[in-house]
Amino acid sequence: MIAIIGGGSINKNFISEFISKLDEASLSIIACDSGYENCLDIGQEPDIVIGDFDSISKDAYEKLQHSNAEVIKLNPVKDDTDIEAALNIAIRKSMVGDYIYLLGATGKRLDHFLGNVNLLGMGCLKQRKVVIVDEYNYIQMISAGQVLNLSREGAEAQFGHYISIFPYGGKATGVTMTGFKYPLENATIEGFNTLTVSNEITEEVGSISLKEGYLIVCETRDAI
C-alpha cells in the first residue's frame, strides 16, 4: 500500500486521519516536490521524495537535506509531472491489486487535477487500485470486466452519499448499476451529458460494471 502526497491543498485533519487508518506495517509514503511540505504539516516522514523541486520552499528543502528520505531529483524539462513519476515508482514497488492513494492531488489548478485523473488509467493498465482522495471525494477508474461493489454501511462503506460515473476515453458500453436509486442495465454512456451524476445507493450494496471502455467513479460528499 502506497500513499503519494502531492503539493495540492490538503485538509490536515482529514489526511492525518485517513493515513492513520491505513496499514502502517505495509504503508510506504512518496512525497512529490512541495508535497514534502504537506508531509511536514501532518507529521509524516516520507520514504521517498521526488521532484524537480521548483515549488518547494527553501526552508522545507533545507529540512529535506537532513531527513532520512530517499531523494530523487528530476530534470525540470520533462514529459511527465512529478506525480506521474512518483506513480511509476509506486507501481514498480507494489503488486497486482495493491492500493495507491493520491493525496494532495486536487486543489486550485484544474489542469493538474485533470492530469491526475488521467493517471487513474495507469492503475487499470497495471492492475493497481489508484485512487484520488480528498476530504470530499474518492475517485477511481474501472475498466471492462471489472465489478465495483460499494456498501452503504460497515467497514467498507461508501466514502460519500453520492455516486457519479463518467465514461473515459470514449463511450462505455454494457454499463450496469444495481442497488442504486437510478439503476442502469447494459447501457451505453457516451458522455457530453450529466445523466449519471449524483446517484445514490438504495440497497445494502451498489454494484457497477461495464463490458467495454472505462468509467471514472466518484464517491462524493458535501461535508466531512
Side-chain angles (χ1 to χ4, degrees):
M1 184 181 300
I2 298 175
I4 296 174
I5 301 182
S9 58
I10 65 168
N11 179 304
K12 297 178 187 177
N13 292 334
F14 169 77
I15 294 298
S16 295
E17 182 179 357
F18 183 84
I19 290 177
S20 73
K21 293 179 179 178
L22 302 178
D23 181 9
E24 184 178 356
S26 64
L27 178 64
S28 179
I29 296 177
I30 303 175
C32 299
D33 208 308
S34 59
Y36 181 64
E37 296 180 59
N38 282 335
C39 286
L40 293 176
D41 287 343
I42 61 175
Q44 288 287 340
E45 179 71 26
D47 299 284
I48 299 172
V49 182
I50 185 171
D52 51 25
F53 302 110
D54 61 344
S55 59
I56 193 172
S57 69
K58 183 177 180 181
D59 181 57
Y61 191 71
E62 283 293 321
K63 290 180 180 179
L64 176 59
Q65 305 314 303
H66 301 286
S67 76
N68 294 320
E70 176 186 355
V71 179
I72 302 174
K73 187 172 178 58
L74 302 175
N75 189 325
V77 182
K78 57 187 188 300
D79 294 327
D80 55 2
T81 63
D82 294 339
I83 286 188
E84 182 176 349
L87 183 54
N88 278 314
I89 291 174
I91 288 171
R92 290 198 297 270
K93 288 181 172 291
S94 60
M95 300 178 67
V96 169
D98 282 352
Y99 276 91
I100 301 173
Y101 295 104
L102 305 184
L103 311 173
T106 57
K108 296 178 181 178
R109 287 191 57 176
L110 288 179
D111 56 341
H112 278 281
F113 170 66
L114 291 173
N116 292 335
V117 171
N118 274 335
L119 296 180
L120 297 177
M122 289 178 63
C124 292
L125 296 176
K126 300 296 184 179
Q127 295 179 286
R128 307 300 195 271
K129 298 176 181 178
V130 181
V131 188
I132 295 173
V133 186
D134 66 17
E135 65 267 36
Y136 301 112
N137 307 281
Y138 188 98
I139 307 170
Q140 58 187 307
M141 186 182 294
I142 62 173
S143 58
Q146 284 186 272
V147 178
L148 178 63
N149 292 315
L150 304 173
S151 302
R152 291 183 68 185
E153 299 177 352
E156 300 298 324
Q158 65 189 97
F159 180 86
H161 181 72
Y162 302 106
I163 309 296
S164 300
I165 64 171
F166 305 94
Y168 189 83
K171 66 182 179 182
T173 64
V175 178
T176 297
M177 299 180 71
T178 59
F180 286 86
K181 183 176 182 179
Y182 306 107
L184 292 173
E185 184 175 355
N186 203 33
T188 296
I189 304 175
E190 299 191 45
F192 304 118
N193 61 64
T194 56
L195 174 67
T196 52
V197 173
S198 295
N199 210 333
E200 301 172 31
I201 299 175
T202 54
E203 305 294 335
E204 288 188 7
V205 175
S207 180
I208 305 170
S209 63
L210 69 160
K211 294 178 179 176
E212 293 183 10
Y214 296 89
L215 286 176
I216 297 170
V217 181
C218 304
E219 300 173 53
T220 62
R221 58 193 181 191
D222 293 319
I224 300 175

